Amino acid sequence: MPSGDHVTVQGVSEVLDAHRDDWSPEQLSEFLLSFPATGAVWDWLSRLPDGVSRLYRKALQPVGLPDPAECERVAQELISHGRPFAALDLLGLYVERADPPPDPALIAAAMETAATSPSGERVGQLLQHHVARLLDHLESSNELEEARLAQLEWLYLPLLRYSDRPPRLLHSELARAPDFFADVVSQVYRGEGEERDDTPESRTRAQVGHQLLNSWHGLPGDGEGVVDSAALRDWVLRAREILHDRNRGAIGDQCIGNALRYSPNGIDGAWPHEGVRNLVEELESQRIETGIEVELSNSRGFTSRGMFEGGDQERQLAQQYQTWAEMVQTRWPRTAAMHRRIAEHFEWVARRHDDDAEQYEDG
């Protein structure tokens, strides 16, 4: 069988014409697979029996195109013949190599088709990397509406957790829209007294929503690092109202507290920002405060220390929160009480690390 290195288009056409009747569909497909998937290949396929085309498209690994400009045509062929994930791999490979890059509308259509495809198409190992690159390209192109791009982030959120690209538009929407936040909380947690909707679809929605909430480390109403206390208050009050109406008031308050944990320090240097302190005092919600405290502890993650170091790190944190408690005690007494509970927690953790260090020394 001839190599594709030095075979002309005319020569391949002559071979196909000579053997289209005595080669099997498998042989014809294998012959065409030995060449790069250029436009000429698709033209040849159009003149061969449908069985050849089906075998070819099923086996095609669309890499190594000699001309990146062919990318769009190959991707369109793959999408139209039930291989949208292969199209995504191809588009991801050439999105930064083709000039001009692939059409954003084609990329979005491929991503939407792949995400909703019921086929059992094999998914490439680099799909999460390609998806992150394609989303970056779509975002920078400014050719897609934000709502559509946010929907793509939502569809591919399970993959984004393995990439270095956060779902930026979804995070922005959470910070901007309390109704969207309430929607996500509502699909993660069932309402009080409600039966659990335990279907594969509901479990998937809950997992994706939980991942989104956990990945969001912004602050409601946050204007790119500048806290708008009035917008923050409006957001929290509206989110509480919606979640209360959906019988999710208790868990809703805890999720709101989780979000408030990511407040920056205030103008006076104490944490959290004065806008958050005002809400703590106004709302008098133990669940919001618990949400702040739990998320503060969980977000520390893994800490490294020497084998015999003990709990010095946690004692320093405890002292910091005690200092903040003294700073805010007069004007924000509930916040000061929260600081003291946090300090007590870190003191308890410090004692545990002290015990571990003593055991290492004794051992």
Side-chain angles (χ1 to χ4, degrees):
M1 195 166 291
S3 165
D5 292 341
H6 302 290
V7 178
T8 65
V9 171
Q10 180 62 33
V12 174
S13 296
E14 291 175 356
V15 171
L16 289 171
D17 290 339
H19 295 284
R20 61 176 296 155
D21 295 327
D22 57 359
W23 280 358
S24 68
E26 288 79 9
Q27 288 174 312
L28 289 167
S29 172
E30 183 180 352
F31 176 72
L32 290 178
L33 285 168
S34 67
F35 301 99
T38 62
V41 172
W42 304 105
D43 293 336
W44 294 327
L45 282 170
S46 68
R47 302 198 302 269
L48 295 171
D50 289 343
V52 179
S53 179
R54 286 194 297 270
L55 288 168
Y56 176 86
R57 289 175 172 88
K58 183 177 180 180
L60 175 63
Q61 298 301 318
V63 296
L65 294 178
D67 182 359
E70 298 276 3
C71 172
E72 286 194 12
R73 179 172 182 181
V74 177
Q76 288 169 337
E77 292 283 351
L78 289 167
I79 295 168
S80 63
H81 290 84
R83 294 196 62 197
F85 285 105
L88 284 187
D89 280 338
L90 180 66
L91 291 166
L93 183 66
Y94 284 96
V95 71
E96 295 176 358
R97 295 169 58 183
D99 186 19
D103 180 13
L106 173 63
I107 293 173
M111 295 183 73
E112 289 162 349
T113 302
T116 57
S117 173
S119 71
E121 183 185 0
R122 185 182 67 84
V123 176
Q125 295 181 345
L126 294 177
L127 180 62
Q128 64 266 27
H129 174 68
H130 290 157
V131 164
R133 293 172 69 182
L134 291 171
L135 285 171
D136 281 340
H137 174 67
L138 291 177
E139 188 176 2
S140 63
S141 74
N142 295 318
E143 293 189 26
L144 257 65
E145 294 181 357
E146 283 196 3
R148 189 178 182 189
L149 187 53
Q151 179 63 22
L152 287 173
E153 286 188 342
W154 179 261
L155 290 172
Y156 287 91
L157 192 59
L159 284 179
L160 292 180
R161 69 182 299 181
Y162 302 111
S163 75
D164 57 1
R165 185 196 187 279
R168 290 186 286 267
L169 277 94
L170 290 175
H171 289 170
S172 296
E173 189 68 3
L174 284 172
R176 184 194 68 81
D179 53 339
F180 177 60
F181 173 82
D183 287 344
V184 177
V185 172
S186 297
Q187 76 177 32
V188 175
Y189 302 100
R190 62 189 175 97
E192 298 168 19
E194 289 183 3
E195 293 292 330
R196 185 177 298 279
D197 181 14
D198 194 20
T199 63
E201 294 78 11
S202 65
R203 289 196 294 271
T204 298
R205 289 196 302 270
Q207 290 168 359
V208 172
H210 191 266
Q211 178 188 334
L212 177 59
L213 292 176
N214 282 349
S215 68
W216 179 39
H217 296 162
L219 186 69
D222 185 358
E224 298 183 357
V226 179
V227 178
D228 184 333
S229 296
L232 171 63
R233 181 178 183 275
D234 289 344
W235 188 101
V236 170
L237 294 181
R238 179 58 180 157
R240 294 188 86 206
E241 178 184 10
I242 298 171
L243 289 164
H244 175 78
D245 291 344
R246 297 181 184 179
N247 296 318
R248 290 171 173 81
I251 190 62
D253 272 4
Q254 185 163 329
C255 290
I256 289 170
N258 294 161
L260 296 180
R261 171 265 176 271
Y262 294 99
S263 165
N265 289 17
I267 298 173
D268 59 3
W271 179 89
H273 188 275
E274 289 86 351
V276 175
R277 294 178 224 165
N278 291 337
L279 279 170
V280 169
E281 305 301 320
E282 175 186 351
L283 300 178
E284 298 182 345
S285 168
Q286 186 59 54
R287 289 188 181 274
I288 286 181
E289 294 162 29
T290 297
I292 294 173
E293 295 167 33
V294 169
E295 184 66 12
L296 182 69
S297 177
N298 291 343
S299 62
R300 279 196 80 210
F302 176 79
T303 59
S304 61
R305 69 192 68 229
M307 186 175 296
F308 308 113
E309 181 180 339
D312 290 346
Q313 296 179 34
E314 287 71 25
R315 269 187 291 274
Q316 291 177 9
L317 287 171
Q319 182 56 55
Q320 176 65 82
Y321 283 97
Q322 289 287 10
T323 299
W324 285 337
E326 294 171 5
M327 291 175 62
V328 306
Q329 172 63 46
T330 302
R331 185 174 173 185
W332 297 281
R334 247 191 119 85
T335 305
M338 182 177 71
H339 282 142
R340 294 190 183 97
R341 291 194 299 272
I342 295 170
E344 290 173 2
H345 166 74
F346 283 124
E347 289 284 2
W348 175 78
V349 176
R351 290 192 293 272
R352 287 184 57 193
H353 285 297
D354 289 344
D355 292 343
D356 290 343
E358 289 179 8
Q359 290 180 10
Y360 283 127
E361 289 180 351
D362 294 342

